[in-house]
Amino acid sequence: MTTPKALVAGNWKMNGLKSAATEIMRLNDLVKEGGARCDILICPAFTLISTLCDINSEYVAIGAQDCHMNMNGAHTGDISAEMIKDLGCGHIIVGHSERRADHGEMNETVNAKASAAQSVGLKAIICVGETIEERKAGRALNVVTSQVKASIPSGAVVENTIIAYEPVWAIGSGLTPTATDVEEVHNAVRDVLLERFSDHGTQINILYGGSVKASNALELMSVNNVNGALVGGASLKADDFYGIISAYNEIG
Ligand code: PGA
């Protein structure tokens, strides 16, 4: 079975003003010069999506970090998947652990948001991951596979589904699981996808996220069943982010 083309995605979280557009231009130039053997995506705050889409980068796609589960209506302050699509995005991150923690989003909500994204033709990047307590209790595999099963919408297809495994304790902490631990979880996620989508499940990208940086990207991205990265802090500066992207130039 062939593996899917890798995706290296940046999650800018609540960072960046209009001036951050220069980072997309710089990233575009770095890829133009040095090449990239992976797809590249940046998910900025809602306020920047339009500005960054307007740059029309040949190499860098723009996505969103969240959406509402409904398409319109009385939901003050919220943004729908259709609005995001309207700006020119192709991806929406859903269920990031910061949304799960800060906004109490449970699998059911994540599932509904992923479904909203997919219903308008966008790809949902569904985030899952265990806390440190769950890992220490030996429950990491159980927690992650349950989240994957419960968060993928019933109408999902291979083409509009991406999973991001992000151990909560590895996000922004500088800590990463060992390559062996990453492989164990990614293999378990793959098994869930094979069960759900039969052989087509091999074609779904399973991203690893949590303290990915240029210095550890090659090791992490070389792990079996790791098909790309979801990057927070190290995606804010084009040069740092390109350091991760270029790991794929070595992997081939
Ligand atoms: P980090 O964040 O790379 O800063 O650890 C990853 C994420 O939250 O997606």
Side-chain angles (χ1 to χ4, degrees), residues 11 13 96-98 166 170-174 209-212 230-234:
N11 171 10
K13 308 189 179 183
H96 188 280
S97 71
E98 287 152 16
E166 301 201 298
I171 294 175
S173 64
S211 297
V212 178
L230 182 54
V231 185

Side-chain angles (χ1 to χ4, degrees), residues 44-91:
F46 289 130
T47 50
L48 285 177
I49 290 177
S50 210
T51 308
L52 301 194
C53 282
D54 285 352
I55 292 173
N56 250 318
S57 165
E58 199 179 327
Y59 306 104
V60 186
I62 305 300
Q65 298 172 15
D66 182 44
C67 67
H68 195 273
M69 63 178 82
N70 294 340
M71 263 338 133
N72 47 51
H75 303 287
T76 302
D78 280 315
I79 308 277
S80 76
E82 194 176 29
M83 293 169 178
I84 291 164
K85 183 186 181 182
D86 193 38
L87 295 177
C89 292
H91 298 74

Side-chain angles (χ1 to χ4, degrees), residues 234-245:
S235 70
L236 294 171
K237 291 281 164 226
D239 289 83
D240 295 342
F241 195 47
Y242 186 68
I244 296 168
I245 291 164

Side-chain angles (χ1 to χ4, degrees), residues 23-50:
E23 295 301 328
I24 300 298
M25 295 176 204
R26 168 92 184 133
L27 186 56
N28 190 72
D29 291 347
L30 287 167
V31 177
K32 197 170 189 172
E33 280 165 35
R37 290 192 168 170
C38 56
D39 289 329
I40 302 167
L41 173 71
I42 290 285
C43 299
F46 289 130
T47 50
L48 285 177
I49 290 177
S50 210

